[in-house]
Amino acid sequence: MESLRIFFATPAVRRIVVLLLLVGLLYSLRHMLNLILLLFLVTYVMNRLQGLVTRWINRAVPVHPIVVAVLLYVLLLSGLAWGISNYVPQLVTQGRDMINTIIRFLNSTEGNDISKRLSEELEKIDYKTYVDQAFLYLGKIGKMLELVLIVILLSFFFLLQKAKIRAFTQKFQKSKIGWVYDEIAYFSERFVSSFGKVIEVQLVIALFNTVFTMLGLWIMGYPYLFALTIIVFLLSLVPVAGVIISFVPISIIGYQAGGITLVFWVIVMILLIHALEAYVLNPRLMASKTKLPMFYTFVILVFSQHYFGIWGLIIGIPVFMFVLDILHVPLGEEKNKEA
């Protein structure tokens, strides 16, 4: 018994035990994964915005962070209400029409070698399953909005009482499970500094890709712009593979609207956008310091999609970066050169 007590008193053993407990807890709450991840993302982004806006306003006029938080959430809810009332019905209609258009194109393979070959390739990845899931999500917009409102409310209360929450939580440090608190605090800090920052970079890159892609498609006269905007933004959150997946519906709609010529110009546009991202945006965001080899990226995406579904495509890389961080694996290019 004494040897076991000494063994579990070892800092490394305690850290591993707490990590396994956290993984087990998250696995038991996997049915609440949408709520947990959305809550973290919204809270992280709004907390960052609160800090940035507060510092910016304080240069001219002193302002309390709570006032900034209230203003940000008022703007968020106002924008959400305006978007729901004006664009959600149009988005649902366009989404269904676009999916039906793509299905009709893939089914009309007679006399069209391009659609026949494309249909054969997509059959290999069971695209009909993903189409069915898309229809399912379109039919669950009401429940998704309810989840979003709950997440916004919880994150708002967190930012309002951030200091009180931190003070109350720190009381566990002096309790009988103080060592558990220390380990959870360590993992939380590393999680926010690695996972949060990688997600932040992915969000900025997704916004960049979406804005410029939609601007180009609008100039080319593309239909279904609202539906394509959502698709491009969500898939832009998926490293590397998202670009390839989003090109499939864009190219099919472009081929139907303007033939192979329009598809060619879309390819040129996408290459230009991602050249700007690679040589201008990524260095400014320091994304190169967390850049993985393409082989690792695809392997992580395959396994994370298998275990976490669609969410796995978005959080797979950030979670892997978090694991590398707690293992103290050097990631920067300069460190690699020194090694």
Side-chain angles (χ1 to χ4, degrees):
M1 291 297 294
E2 182 65 21
S3 59
L4 282 176
R5 188 184 65 80
I6 296 174
F7 176 74
F8 283 104
T10 307
V13 174
R14 285 183 170 182
R15 183 157 294 177
I16 293 172
V17 169
V18 172
L19 180 60
L20 292 175
L21 288 174
L22 291 174
V23 171
L25 179 63
L26 286 175
Y27 181 77
S28 65
L29 297 174
R30 61 190 180 278
H31 60 284
M32 298 179 64
L33 191 62
N34 289 338
L35 176 63
I36 295 171
L37 292 174
L38 274 178
L39 181 59
F40 173 80
L41 290 176
V42 173
T43 305
Y44 179 83
V45 171
M46 296 303 288
N47 184 54
R48 292 278 292 173
L49 283 175
Q50 182 193 30
L52 291 173
V53 174
T54 302
R55 287 194 295 271
W56 179 71
I57 295 178
N58 278 333
R59 294 177 182 177
V61 180
V63 63
H64 198 280
I66 291 180
V67 176
V68 175
V70 172
L71 291 175
L72 287 175
Y73 276 90
V74 167
L75 290 174
L76 177 62
L77 290 174
S78 300
L80 188 63
W82 180 76
I84 291 172
S85 60
N86 289 278
Y87 293 110
V88 166
Q90 191 174 357
L91 175 64
V92 173
T93 303
Q94 284 193 11
R96 287 175 176 170
D97 291 344
M98 184 183 68
I99 293 173
N100 288 326
T101 299
I102 294 173
I103 292 174
R104 285 195 300 270
F105 172 78
L106 295 175
N107 290 335
S108 60
T109 56
E110 295 183 4
N112 192 326
D113 292 336
I114 294 178
S115 61
K116 183 177 180 179
R117 291 180 182 179
L118 183 59
S119 179
E120 290 174 353
E121 293 299 322
L122 291 177
E123 285 286 354
K124 295 178 182 178
I125 61 173
D126 194 18
Y127 76 93
K128 292 182 179 179
T129 301
Y130 293 97
V131 171
D132 292 338
Q133 289 181 359
F135 276 117
L136 186 62
Y137 280 115
L138 285 175
K140 290 185 175 180
I141 283 185
K143 292 184 178 179
M144 293 170 64
L145 290 176
E146 180 183 351
L147 176 64
V148 169
L149 290 175
I150 293 173
V151 166
I152 291 174
L153 186 65
L154 290 175
S155 64
F156 177 63
F157 287 147
F158 176 84
L159 291 188
L160 283 184
Q161 298 185 314
K162 186 166 53 176
K164 291 183 179 180
I165 292 172
R166 185 183 294 112
F168 178 79
T169 306
Q170 286 177 345
K171 293 180 180 180
F172 288 95
Q173 190 173 21
K174 298 179 180 179
S175 67
K176 293 182 178 180
I177 55 169
W179 64 273
V180 177
Y181 170 87
D182 291 335
E183 298 303 329
I184 292 177
Y186 168 79
F187 286 123
S188 299
E189 182 182 352
R190 306 312 303 172
F191 185 80
V192 172
S193 64
S194 57
F195 182 95
K197 289 181 179 179
V198 174
I199 282 288
E200 184 179 344
V201 169
Q202 288 184 195
L203 284 171
V204 174
I205 291 174
L207 286 171
F208 175 87
N209 288 339
T210 303
V211 169
F212 283 94
T213 301
M214 289 305 105
L215 181 61
L217 295 181
W218 176 72
I219 293 173
M220 295 178 190
Y222 255 69
Y224 313 123
L225 279 180
F226 290 120
L228 286 173
T229 299
I230 302 300
I231 291 174
V232 171
F233 175 74
L234 293 177
L235 291 176
S236 294
L237 294 173
V238 181
V240 183
V243 178
I244 301 171
I245 299 171
S246 65
F247 179 71
V248 174
I250 292 175
S251 60
I252 292 175
I253 294 171
Y255 182 77
Q256 288 185 297
I260 196 68
T261 303
L262 185 57
V263 175
F264 170 78
W265 286 113
V266 169
I267 294 173
V268 172
M269 177 196 71
I270 290 176
L271 289 176
L272 287 174
I273 291 172
H274 288 281
L276 286 173
E277 174 198 320
Y279 295 105
V280 178
L281 189 63
N282 275 355
R284 290 181 179 274
L285 296 174
M286 300 179 69
S288 58
K289 291 189 176 182
T290 58
K291 193 171 184 179
L292 295 172
M294 191 172 293
F295 173 78
Y296 274 90
T297 300
F298 277 103
V299 169
I300 293 166
L301 291 177
V302 168
F303 280 92
S304 58
Q305 192 277 333
H306 175 74
Y307 287 105
F308 297 105
I310 294 177
W311 269 112
L313 297 174
I314 298 174
I315 68 170
I317 299 299
V319 167
F320 184 72
M321 301 308 299
F322 165 67
V323 173
L324 294 182
D325 188 29
I326 62 176
L327 294 176
H328 299 288
V329 177
L331 299 173
E333 292 182 356
E334 295 180 357
K335 293 181 180 179
N336 289 335
K337 289 179 181 177
E338 291 174 2

